[in-house]
């Protein structure tokens, strides 16, 4: 299977970076092909231009898509599955990834009658969180994070979908280090069993 990974973390010195590498190692172990968009490293533009806004808000449906958006959409069309890997920032994805959705999930491609994007076989979300899963459940934030990513952004654009949260990775937690091996093994197994 060809798996497109949209990865958003500003630093290689991060746990999220290790999760991404372990997941890719697992995918490649099982013979999958991997294509990665490393959004920070690509300096992917996340601010929508006025022209893009006018197109999306349907004032000017005739306006063309920018080349960098077309390049991302091509990667999606050529893939069987899509995976998003990122750290939780303010109970959502980093602005870098949110901006990717603003610009790449365009009218006529990701939504709208006769959209071009046919449902991918699978959509997977791997996110790294400072807080514990218990905290996310007690506050209701788990539900909101899942709903926004799975039910709104992925919605029916994928046939099956799942969100995995690698929790309690904040440097405030003394057991952060012991969680690492467990999390990285899970990331590898998720790739291997994709
Ligand atoms: C701006 C910012 C906002 C964050 N917001 C949250 C949050 O809302 N919930 C949470 O669990 N962790 C939050 N974190 C912690 C990140 O998820 C943190 O980067 C991660 O736990 C550690 O993984 P890393 O080494 O890959 O960055 C935030 C971190 C930053 C820098």
């Amino acid at each position: 299977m060809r798996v497109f990974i949209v990865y958003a973390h500003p630093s290689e010195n991060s746990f999220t970076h290790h999760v991404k590498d372990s997941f890719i190692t697992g995918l490649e172990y099982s013979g999958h092909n991997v294509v990665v968009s490393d959004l920070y490293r690509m300096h992917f533009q996340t601010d929508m231009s006025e022209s893009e806004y006018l197109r999306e808000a349907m004032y000017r449906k005739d306006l063309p898509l920018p080349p960098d958006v077309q390049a991302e959409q091509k990667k999606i069309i050529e893939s069987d599955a899509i995976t998003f890997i990122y750290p939780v920032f303010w109970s959502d994805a980093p602005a870098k990834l949110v901006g990717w959705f603003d610009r790449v999930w365009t009218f006529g491609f990701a939504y709208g009658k006769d959209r071009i994007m046919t449902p991918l076989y699978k959509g997977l979300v791997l996110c790294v969180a400072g807080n514990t899963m218990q905290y996310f459940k007690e506050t209701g934030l788990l539900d909101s994070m899942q709903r926004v990513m799975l039910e709104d952004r992925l919605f029916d654009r994928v046939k099956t979908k799942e969100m995995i949260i690698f929790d309690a990775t904040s440097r405030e937690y003394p057991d952060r280090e012991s969680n690492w091996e467990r999390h990285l093994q899970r990331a590898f197994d998720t790739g291997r069993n994709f």
Side-chain angles (χ1 to χ4, degrees):
M1 204 184 298
R2 189 177 157 106
V3 183
F4 177 35
I5 296 175
V6 184
Y7 171 69
H9 195 294
S11 173
E12 287 199 0
N13 185 16
S14 67
F15 184 62
T16 309
H17 183 78
H18 290 290
V19 166
K20 187 247 307 168
D21 283 353
S22 297
F23 176 64
I24 290 175
T25 305
L27 284 173
E28 290 178 341
Y29 179 88
S30 293
H32 296 295
N33 293 319
V34 180
V35 177
V36 182
S37 278
D38 184 339
L39 300 185
Y40 284 96
R41 195 172 267 200
M42 290 159 67
H43 301 290
F44 186 78
Q45 182 197 318
T46 47
D47 287 344
M48 184 172 255
S49 67
E50 185 183 8
S51 162
E52 286 174 272
Y53 166 74
L54 292 174
R55 187 184 179 284
E56 289 313 300
M58 299 174 206
Y59 288 99
R60 290 280 313 275
K61 284 187 188 173
D62 59 306
L63 288 169
L65 292 174
D68 62 339
V69 169
Q70 289 187 38
E72 292 301 292
Q73 293 182 346
K74 186 166 182 284
K75 291 176 202 169
I76 295 168
I77 289 169
E78 292 173 349
S79 298
D80 304 297
I82 191 163
T83 301
F84 298 92
I85 306 178
Y86 58 88
V88 174
F89 280 5
W90 295 109
S91 307
D92 194 0
K96 198 74 167 164
L97 179 57
V98 175
W100 183 93
F101 281 107
D102 288 351
R103 297 189 61 233
V104 176
W105 254 205
T106 59
F107 175 72
F109 177 78
Y111 67 101
K113 197 170 153 289
D114 303 326
R115 74 175 190 215
I116 293 167
M117 186 179 169
T118 53
L120 295 168
Y121 169 70
K122 195 168 180 172
L124 177 65
V125 178
L126 302 181
C127 58
V128 173
N131 285 315
T132 62
M133 194 58 99
Q134 186 186 350
Y135 171 83
F136 286 123
K137 285 180 183 160
E138 284 171 3
T139 54
L141 287 167
L142 177 63
D143 189 48
S144 83
M145 292 193 304
Q146 287 176 330
R147 276 175 195 258
V148 170
M149 270 315 277
L150 301 182
E151 306 311 325
D152 185 35
R153 292 180 180 138
L154 288 182
F155 188 48
D156 66 352
R157 299 173 188 94
V158 292
K159 289 180 183 160
T160 61
K161 52 197 162 189
E162 185 185 4
M163 183 178 207
I164 297 175
I165 298 177
F166 300 92
D167 72 331
T169 65
S170 166
R171 283 166 186 78
E172 289 171 334
Y173 292 112
D175 54 355
R176 168 184 154 98
E177 303 300 328
S178 61
N179 286 334
W180 273 47
E181 284 310 311
R182 182 172 58 85
H183 283 327
L184 294 185
Q185 184 63 47
R186 189 175 183 198
F188 173 80
D189 289 343
T190 303
R192 191 185 54 178
N193 301 323
F194 197 81

